[in-house]
Amino acid sequence: MTRQDPSTTLSTGPNPGRTPDETTGAVREPGPGPRPARTPGLRISAPLCLLAFLALYLLAVCTPVGQRAENALLSGEGAEPAWIYGWSGAAYQSAALPPLEHTAMPTLLVGIAVIVAVTVVRRRWWQGLAALGIVIGTVGSKELARLVLPRPDLVDAHVSLTEASFPSGHVAVPAGLALAATLIASPRVRPYVTAVGMLWLAVTAGAVQATYHHRPSDVLGSTLLACACYALATRFLRTPDAPGVPRHPRVLPAVALSLAAAGALVAGARDDSVTQSLVFAAAAFLCAGLFWLITAPGRHAHHGHGARTSRGTHSVPS
């Protein structure tokens, strides 16, 4: 609602930019115009993410066509031809890029500790609880899905391809932590945290595919679970701590998407197959795209909220 400044209710002459109120006769300043259209992030809800997750499972895991298509992507010479092999932890005594291989649990614990620390420093208790809920919900739902969603052998696959891998645990860690960090970050740094999170998720998703640890459906499934948890957290976080619309350079979204695409290409690339490299990179970039859509500005607040709209008229949150 709006609150009128008494000095603006009297007029000494016609003013084309001001119109009388039909019921009170008071003169109103022209409004700021219609609210801007909502961003695509508003269209992604938790039920939609869960529905997409279920459809992905049914199509990729529970049909012979889906199983053959994804098994064909794992027909190369193992993990060694992957460009990121040296940083995957698969090589003997090699360093593992978090959260790959044995670094998954330490990365998760450190990430939770950082979320708690930021919550204490910023004193945004509900926001911190929601961020922890995203992490716990993502990892917990991944474990539950792995237990209750079987992988039937519909195509008489090799024994090495019959183990249930949907959804990916290694991708659930960066997806949950990055979305939680986006939620808990201050509006000033939130766009940059989002960009880093997108890059981290894209690189991880590409790496676990290129090293034959997971299929494209596995990484997309974990990302959808994380997006569902994020959507639920922001849906029920009805406090002033809810993320607003941050100000950031206009080119930042394009830069963030470009970096995510480059990271997906490098992490998903293999020496022995261009087709596999492109499919792995596309799935990894799609994970980053889902991350961007669910966190897009405008999902939680409208532009111009709480801003001064014209002289003598102020916007007051209703």
Side-chain angles (χ1 to χ4, degrees), residues 14-309:
N15 189 332
R18 307 168 70 192
T19 57
D21 188 279
E22 295 180 357
T23 57
T24 65
V27 178
R28 296 183 302 176
E29 295 286 346
R35 292 179 184 265
R38 293 181 174 184
T39 62
L42 281 169
R43 301 176 184 175
I44 300 183
S45 62
L48 182 60
C49 291
L50 294 176
L51 183 61
F53 175 86
L54 180 60
L56 181 65
Y57 167 74
L58 294 176
L59 182 62
V61 181
C62 297
T63 65
V65 174
Q67 286 196 5
R68 287 194 184 96
E70 291 202 306
N71 287 347
L73 295 172
L74 308 180
S75 59
E77 302 175 0
E80 193 168 355
W83 288 13
I84 203 169
Y85 178 72
W87 291 93
S88 67
Y92 179 68
Q93 291 185 340
S94 64
L97 184 70
L100 303 179
E101 290 292 338
H102 60 278
T103 64
M105 184 56 67
T107 301
L108 180 61
L109 295 178
V110 171
I112 291 176
V114 171
I115 292 171
V116 172
V118 173
T119 300
V120 173
V121 170
R122 298 194 64 224
R123 299 178 182 272
R124 299 294 190 262
W125 310 115
W126 289 111
Q127 203 170 354
L129 287 175
L132 289 175
I134 293 173
V135 178
I136 296 173
T138 300
V139 177
S141 60
K142 183 274 302 180
E143 292 292 343
L144 180 62
R146 186 76 67 85
L147 289 175
V148 302
L149 298 179
R151 181 180 181 83
D153 185 10
L154 305 177
V155 295
D156 194 21
H158 188 272
V159 64
S160 62
L161 299 175
T162 58
E163 182 181 358
S165 61
F166 179 90
S168 168
H170 286 92
V171 173
V173 172
L177 287 177
L179 285 171
T182 299
L183 185 70
I184 198 66
S186 65
R188 180 174 298 180
V189 302
R190 185 172 296 125
Y192 304 98
V193 173
T194 301
V196 174
M198 289 170 56
L199 178 59
W200 187 26
L201 177 58
V203 170
T204 303
V208 296
Q209 293 176 92
T211 54
Y212 286 179
H213 281 84
H214 285 285
R215 303 169 175 85
S217 62
D218 300 339
V219 301
L220 289 170
S222 292
T223 304
L224 286 169
L225 286 179
C227 289
C229 293
Y230 182 88
L232 282 174
T234 55
R235 174 65 179 82
F236 293 104
L237 189 63
R238 296 183 178 276
T239 71
D241 292 334
V245 180
R247 295 181 179 180
H248 54 78
R250 293 182 179 181
V251 299
L252 185 58
V255 172
L257 289 170
S258 299
L259 288 175
L265 282 171
V266 173
R270 290 177 58 91
D271 291 328
D272 56 349
S273 176
V274 175
T275 300
Q276 289 181 5
S277 300
L278 293 177
V279 173
F280 295 155
F285 180 70
L286 185 55
C287 292
L290 290 170
F291 188 106
W292 179 76
L293 286 176
I294 200 71
T295 58
R299 176 175 173 79
H300 316 285
H302 297 286
H303 292 281
H305 177 71
R308 182 164 181 160
T309 57

